[in-house]
Amino acid sequence: MSSTSLKCCINPSILSADFVNLQAELARIANADAVHVDVMDNRFVPNLTIGLPVVERIQQVSPVPLDAHLMIADVDRWAPLYADAGLDSVTFHVEASDAPIKLARELRARGAKAGMALRPATAVEPYLDMLPELDMLLIMTVEPGFGGQAFLDVTLPKIRRARAAIEGSGVNVAIQVDGGITEETITRAAEAGANIFVAGSAVYGKESPEAAIDALRARGQLAFASRV
Ligand code: DX5
Ligand code: ZN
């Protein structure tokens, strides 16, 4: 599939939402393409959020599909359980997986899209042969663990190389970016070839999250379509 037919998506991260009022916070982003759920275990990253029971409940009440980002150790054991919960996509960190090909296949077999994430300093080249096993490649644009960090421009060449490899091999793999996405940085990320944008503070930090989503999507679409 050519990249021009890829959809630009805005997936707000509930890391920046009010965790005591998650259902109401989900209703504020009803025009999003999916909700990005950050699972952290204080082992893979130095922060702790929510786990499977809470994610299962969010899945039951969310008006939009769930996009889980698992920043956890022992991910080969845990990720399939998130797929079993009916999530739209489940993303694991390659640095945390012992058998990423087996895991990606397991996620798909359980009905979820398979996503694989790379920390900012993890090169994409060793994993290019794996692209047909994936539905989504998540290129982290901050060090995982916390919202509100500044976008790392040093990741842009990696996004470009990943998009070129995807186009070269003719596979249908989305490129997601996560961390520091704003109305300003989304343009650079989209021009480099990203088409799914996670935004925490740039959505939930605004008075109208819905308006922020529309504005981000418009900018992302424009920049992605104008790539040369
Ligand atoms: C960070 C998380 C992100 C985070 C993004 O480790 O994976 O999803 O919520 O937050 P912002 O958009 O504020 O950088
Ligand atoms: Zn995330």
Side-chain angles (χ1 to χ4, degrees):
M1 179 187 276
S2 102
S3 68
T4 46
S5 57
L6 280 175
K7 203 179 148 211
C8 273
C9 298
I10 305 297
N11 297 3
S13 164
I14 51 162
L15 191 59
S16 298
D18 177 357
F19 272 86
V20 171
N21 296 302
L22 280 181
Q23 194 162 9
E25 293 286 72
L26 289 165
R28 295 173 75 205
I29 57 156
N31 61 333
D33 296 279
V35 57
H36 183 82
V37 179
D38 288 304
V39 176
M40 307 186 191
D41 66 351
N42 196 34
R43 289 175 65 200
F44 182 72
V45 287
N47 198 3
L48 187 67
T49 55
I50 55 175
L52 189 56
V54 178
V55 176
E56 282 172 337
R57 186 70 188 121
I58 295 172
Q59 167 69 21
Q60 287 168 1
V61 303
S62 177
V64 294
L66 262 64
D67 160 36
H69 176 194
L70 305 180
M71 288 161 275
I72 57 174
D74 290 332
V75 74
D76 302 85
R77 173 187 162 208
W78 285 103
L81 303 178
Y82 285 83
D84 287 345
L87 274 59
D88 185 61
S89 76
V90 177
T91 298
F92 61 89
H93 268 268
V94 71
E95 303 90 349
S97 173
D98 291 328
I101 295 173
K102 179 170 177 268
L103 181 53
R105 289 185 181 184
E106 215 171 322
L107 294 175
R108 282 177 160 180
R110 294 177 189 225
K113 292 178 190 139
M116 190 172 83
L118 308 178
R119 284 179 176 272
T122 302
V124 70
E125 280 72 18
Y127 306 106
L128 293 181
D129 288 344
M130 258 193 80
L131 287 173
E133 306 287 341
L134 301 173
D135 299 291
M136 185 168 84
L137 184 67
L138 165 51
I139 297 181
M140 288 302 298
T141 45
V142 299
E143 285 298 344
F146 300 92
Q149 303 180 74
F151 183 85
L152 293 171
D153 281 277
V154 70
T155 60
L156 289 170
K158 177 163 57 175
I159 299 169
R160 247 178 237 115
R161 292 196 304 272
R163 175 57 68 202
I166 288 167
E167 286 178 353
S169 57
V171 289
N172 181 18
V173 182
I175 297 183
Q176 184 178 73
V177 283
D178 180 9
I181 296 297
T182 64
E183 281 191 39
E184 187 232 335
T185 60
I186 195 169
T187 301
R188 301 206 285 284
E191 278 169 356
N195 68 297
I196 302 183
F197 307 91
V198 176
S201 36
V203 170
Y204 276 110
K206 296 282 165 65
E207 205 170 305
S208 168
E210 293 212 4
I213 291 166
D214 287 339
L216 285 166
R217 195 187 282 112
R219 280 181 183 256
Q221 261 161 0
L222 199 65
F224 188 76
S226 73
R227 291 176 325 118
V228 282

